[in-house]
Amino acid sequence: MAPRTLFDKIWDSHVVETLPDRTAILYIDRHLVHEVTSPQAFEGLRLSGRRLRHPDATIAVVDHNVPTSDRTQPIEEAESRNQIETLERNVKEFGVPYFPLLSARQGIVHVVGPEQGISLPGMTIVCGDSHTSTHGAMGALAFGIGTSEVEHVMATQTILQKPAKNMKVVVEGQVGPGVTAKDIMLAIIGHIGTAGGTGHVIEFAGSAIRELDMAGRMTLCNMSIEAGARAGLVAPDETTFEYVRGRPFAPKGEAFDEAVAYWKTLAADEGAHYDRVVEMRAEDITPVLTWGTSPETVIPVTGTVPDPAAEADAGRRAQMQRMLDYMGLKAGQKIAGTPVDVVFIGSCTNSRIEDLRSAAAIAAGRKVAAGVRAMIVPGSGIVKAQAEEEGLDKVFLEAGFEWREAGCSMCLGMNPDRLTPGQRCASTSNRNFEGRQGPGGRTHLLSPAMAAAAAVTGCLTDVRELI
Amino acid sequence: MDKFTVLSAVAAPLPEENIDTDKIIPARFLKTTKRTGLGVHAFDSMRYRADGSENPDFVLNQEPYRKAEILITYDNLGCGSSREHAPWALLDFGIRCVIAPSFADIFHNNCFKNGILPIVLPHDVCEQLMEDARMGGNARLTIDLPRQVVVRPDGTEVPFNVDPLRKKLLLEGLDDIGQTLQHEKEITIFEERRAQAQPWIPRIVLD
Ligand code: SF4
């Protein structure tokens, strides 16, 4: 057999059948369900008299809409309440395992899956949310699907899909101080652009990637979608196996050893073909952030806002100008020193315990600047409890941060955590589109450490000055 | 799902790149639990001003484009979030066909699944079609799916590619699930084989 990539191997082992036009009926091992993209799928099943083929390969959580403040109170927003209640009715009717709002295991679906050992190496994992790519960090093929596909997976445990192309992004070397997985990923997106991975599955490789812990790898794979890719992947290795060991839904004892033996066969074969390879040096990556309303507008924190006049293409020039106007920035201005109103540390990109530790290291012994609202939203109830055990909540509270309950929160502003028009936010989330965090809100994407630095200085700041 | 065969309709030019799904339908309208009713919120931030009134400069607020069933844009249409509310909003507005030089993968997929035909044509062809569309109400484009051509107002034809399976489903107005379930036996065989080869794959059962 020809040498195969990690993606090829996972793909091949899940093809039930290939239809004449190369579309595969691809078997799905794990289906993650949340309240926003599932109601219409359950509605469809009900209308056609279908059931879930495998409720025991499915897990439901509430995350997008949930309030991140006091949860003993009823949910105020009628529509949010309606979606949550609809999910609760549906999981009961269709027998789907579910972590309810008040469960300690509740959290953002992409934090919960790996944390519970539900997402495992070599699996195919889908969810009606584009950041499903996060689970690729486990060495699983994981991608976001739309609601019709959610219904399709529920009814058939498969999905119809054509194979993607293979792309490899190699980052060799060692990153400098203050540079995190988020900076690596933003640098990659800045380099290849938001359409750089279109049609491809990106495998991240190289010594700088292998050095990352699982949280870092999840940050990387999470934002593969911002690079246009269908999914992101990191080959499973000892770091992965150690992470999985002992998780609630992971295989135990002998079954675990058997699983590891299989997982070890997944890494790409020597000489496997990639349609595209991009190489970067870790030493060239500095702490970065975005200045515009597209995730590819990445500049070093030491840099200046680019000038549209220097752009040859008229369409791009106009777009850049619009971004500048929307963001309230001027061409050529230094990005560091720009005052922020809000700091958001959370989202499926950066809300794991490692992220909170890195933010806390900067926040410790400092105070949130006057006039800045800074919030920490842990990715799950488990992350929150772990952080509290380590005393991180105290560090944050003493510094003047809000310490909140788990959920998507200000990542997309569906719950009450939203920016108001014109507010500038240093955010650890993954999207900076116009209005993403609230109508008129201005988002700068950056790492948890950089976000904490912005909170305590009141402006976008090079975190290295605070280390 | 409605069948898609030949569509002769007004086309609206929206000469922008990277129109993301947040623009097509902002997240704050995703709280519905139904598929219909999103049309009034399609392109909300471009279509309405801060006070809620219509923005007269936006193409879909102008005649004859209020009745557009075809939308033409530049590269990377539908990037961003995978929300299927984006095609639902377009469909509810009345759009049955979108034409662009390139699409984001998931959005492209989601269009087909909801009976919207996404057509990829080179940038300069999209520009030409936008020019056609700017000629106003009589300048209809015809999308002939069986023959895979776009017929311009002057009668010239622009051929396009479409995946044969997708085409069949659109022409017949068939949903994917019914299709796949014709292969249920193979799915069962696959599951049995896997249960033997990888018995360690855990089931998710809550206590
Ligand atoms: S945290 Fe943000 S990106 Fe992640 S699942 Fe929630 S809304 Fe989507």
Side-chain angles (χ1 to χ4, degrees):
Chain A
M1 198 185 287
R4 294 183 299 165
T5 63
L6 169 59
F7 165 72
D8 297 337
K9 291 182 188 183
I10 303 177
W11 177 271
D12 292 348
S13 65
H14 287 83
V15 173
V16 173
E17 213 182 334
T18 306
L19 303 176
D21 67 337
R22 286 178 67 239
T23 300
I25 301 181
L26 193 72
Y27 196 78
I28 298 302
D29 294 315
R30 291 288 185 252
H31 186 192
L32 316 171
V33 171
H34 65 89
E35 78 277 21
V36 178
T37 50
S38 67
Q40 290 89 351
F42 282 114
E43 182 193 16
L45 288 184
R46 203 174 288 119
L47 289 174
S48 53
R50 292 175 177 134
R51 305 288 299 173
L52 261 76
R53 187 174 173 92
H54 282 296
D56 60 358
T58 314
I59 183 82
V61 294
V62 278
D63 55 4
H64 281 64
N65 260 308
V66 300
T68 56
S69 50
D70 185 0
R71 289 197 171 154
T72 54
Q73 300 303 312
I75 297 165
E76 273 173 36
E77 293 193 10
E79 287 169 313
S80 296
R81 197 171 59 233
N82 181 31
Q83 280 199 339
I84 294 167
E85 288 170 357
T86 303
L87 181 68
E88 301 202 325
R89 270 198 311 277
N90 284 330
V91 295
K92 217 178 259 157
E93 181 181 339
F94 290 92
V96 178
Y98 169 59
F99 296 148
L101 187 55
L102 293 176
S103 153
R105 298 191 278 194
Q106 180 270 340
I108 306 172
V109 64
H110 309 312
V111 174
V112 170
E115 178 176 272
Q116 291 294 318
I118 288 170
S119 313
L120 296 172
M123 283 186 159
T124 48
I125 302 171
V126 295
C127 172
D129 182 279
S130 37
H131 290 96
T132 309
S133 57
T134 314
H135 308 257
M138 308 299 301
L141 176 58
F143 43 85
I145 54 177
T147 297
S148 313
E149 288 169 305
V150 169
E151 188 183 335
H152 191 277
V153 176
M154 286 176 172
T156 69
Q157 203 57 37
T158 67
I159 190 171
L160 297 174
Q161 203 161 87
K162 287 202 171 143
K165 284 190 265 187
N166 279 290
M167 176 164 171
K168 182 154 79 167
V169 174
V170 186
V171 188
E172 292 288 356
Q174 218 174 359
V175 292
V179 178
T180 67
K182 182 66 162 285
D183 301 288
I184 297 177
M185 193 55 200
L186 285 172
I188 292 171
I189 298 167
H191 183 57
I192 67 174
T194 50
T198 304
H200 293 74
V201 166
I202 301 180
E203 180 179 338
F204 298 96
S207 54
I209 308 297
R210 280 196 303 278
E211 279 300 305
L212 291 175
D213 57 23
M214 291 308 290
R217 296 178 186 186
M218 288 184 221
T219 302
L220 219 59
C221 290
N222 173 277
M223 290 192 74
S224 314
I225 205 79
E226 272 63 49
R230 281 211 210 153
L233 282 170
V234 177
D237 59 9
E238 288 305 324
T239 306
T240 322
F241 309 146
E242 276 320 301
Y243 175 90
V244 172
R245 190 193 295 278
R247 305 251 156 207
F249 292 89
K252 306 259 156 39
E254 254 174 57
F256 180 77
D257 298 335
E258 242 181 90
V260 169
Y262 172 70
W263 296 339
K264 284 184 174 164
T265 67
L266 291 171
D269 298 326
E270 191 78 34
H273 172 74
Y274 291 86
D275 301 278
R276 189 170 172 211
V277 178
V278 173
E279 290 175 7
M280 291 174 69
R281 292 290 316 168
E283 288 79 8
D284 298 340
I285 302 173
T286 61
V288 292
L289 43 69
T290 62
W291 63 267
T293 55
S294 163
E296 70 188 12
T297 57
V298 175
I299 50 174
V301 63
T302 51
T304 54
V305 176
D307 187 352
E311 174 63 51
D313 181 79
R316 283 200 164 271
R317 196 157 58 229
Q319 211 159 29
M320 280 173 77
Q321 189 56 51
R322 200 169 80 195
M323 286 188 192
L324 287 182
D325 295 344
Y326 181 85
M327 292 297 292
L329 295 170
K330 292 215 168 48
Q333 88 176 70
K334 274 179 98 98
I335 196 73
T338 310
V340 299
D341 306 296
V342 177
V343 171
F344 171 63
I345 298 178
S347 89
C348 58
T349 316
N350 283 123
S351 62
R352 297 180 181 80
I353 187 69
E354 294 82 352
D355 299 314
L356 302 192
R357 285 179 193 139
S358 122
I362 302 297
R366 298 191 168 102
K367 289 272 178 242
V368 171
V372 173
R373 177 184 183 200
M375 45 202 293
I376 313 272
V377 185
S380 70
I382 305 271
V383 170
K384 181 167 189 252
Q386 169 79 27
E388 287 173 355
E389 207 179 295
E390 296 178 18
L392 302 185
D393 57 326
K394 299 223 171 49
V395 171
F396 288 126
L397 287 167
E398 271 161 27
F401 287 81
E402 296 172 27
W403 179 246
R404 303 181 71 95
E405 302 287 339
C408 293
S409 181
M410 201 181 265
C411 174
L412 85 169
M414 267 184 98
N415 78 349
D417 310 337
R418 285 187 195 114
L419 297 179
T420 54
Q423 272 190 329
R424 187 177 303 283
C425 178
S427 176
T428 67
S429 56
N430 44 52
R431 288 193 169 143
N432 52 3
F433 304 146
E434 283 185 25
R436 167 78 177 185
Q437 297 189 290
R442 297 162 168 167
T443 303
H444 295 277
L445 302 176
L446 33 62
S447 74
M450 287 271 284
V456 298
T457 59
C459 55
L460 299 172
T461 300
D462 188 342
V463 64
R464 291 171 295 188
E465 290 163 15
L466 303 184
I467 302 179
Chain B
M1 202 170 95
D2 289 339
K3 289 182 186 170
F4 191 115
T5 49
V6 178
L7 172 71
S8 207
V10 172
L14 195 52
E16 287 194 36
E17 286 178 12
N18 299 319
I19 299 176
D20 57 64
T21 51
D22 261 331
K23 264 199 200 113
I24 299 174
I25 184 81
R28 59 184 182 283
F29 300 115
L30 304 193
K31 292 185 181 173
T32 161
T33 54
K34 300 248 149 39
R35 290 174 197 237
T36 49
L38 290 167
V40 288
H41 304 303
F43 299 104
D44 192 87
S45 61
M46 303 158 104
R47 199 156 141 216
Y48 303 106
R49 293 187 283 215
D51 64 1
S53 63
E54 279 190 359
N55 170 9
D57 297 334
F58 185 62
V59 64
L60 296 180
N61 289 333
Q62 299 162 359
E63 293 302 343
Y65 307 111
R66 285 178 189 278
K67 290 199 258 332
E69 293 176 60
I70 302 165
L71 189 69
I72 313 167
T73 76
Y74 288 148
D75 272 300
N76 207 16
L77 176 60
C79 57
S81 135
S82 63
R83 64 189 64 153
E84 205 160 341
H85 305 72
W88 293 338
L90 293 179
L91 199 62
D92 198 57
F93 179 88
I95 304 286
R96 287 299 308 275
C97 173
V98 283
I99 304 177
S102 64
F103 290 86
D105 282 342
I106 297 176
F107 177 75
H108 189 253
N109 234 341
N110 285 342
C111 282
F112 279 115
K113 287 171 193 297
N114 288 283
I116 297 177
L117 171 63
I119 298 179
V120 179
L121 289 172
H123 194 274
D124 56 326
V125 178
C126 288
E127 245 166 22
Q128 280 175 358
L129 295 180
M130 283 189 201
E131 275 310 309
D132 291 344
R134 287 194 188 98
M135 295 192 305
N138 297 323
R140 298 179 150 237
L141 292 181
T142 299
I143 315 292
D144 187 332
L145 179 59
R147 293 200 301 126
Q148 294 185 213
V149 289
V150 179
V151 187
R152 299 177 56 193
D154 66 2
T156 51
E157 299 192 341
V158 183
F160 62 86
N161 285 323
V162 56
D163 179 295
L165 180 66
R166 292 286 183 207
K167 177 176 173 179
K168 178 167 171 267
L169 293 175
L170 274 181
L171 289 173
E172 293 173 15
L174 245 190
D175 91 341
D176 286 354
I177 298 178
Q179 265 256 331
T180 301
L181 285 177
Q182 294 175 346
H183 301 270
E184 197 171 1
K185 208 176 95 212
E186 286 82 1
I187 299 174
T188 307
I189 294 170
F190 179 92
E191 285 172 341
E192 287 165 1
R193 228 182 33 228
R194 239 166 106 67
Q196 281 186 354
Q198 287 164 40
W200 50 264
I201 296 179
R203 298 188 311 138
I204 307 170
V205 180
L206 299 187
D207 25 69

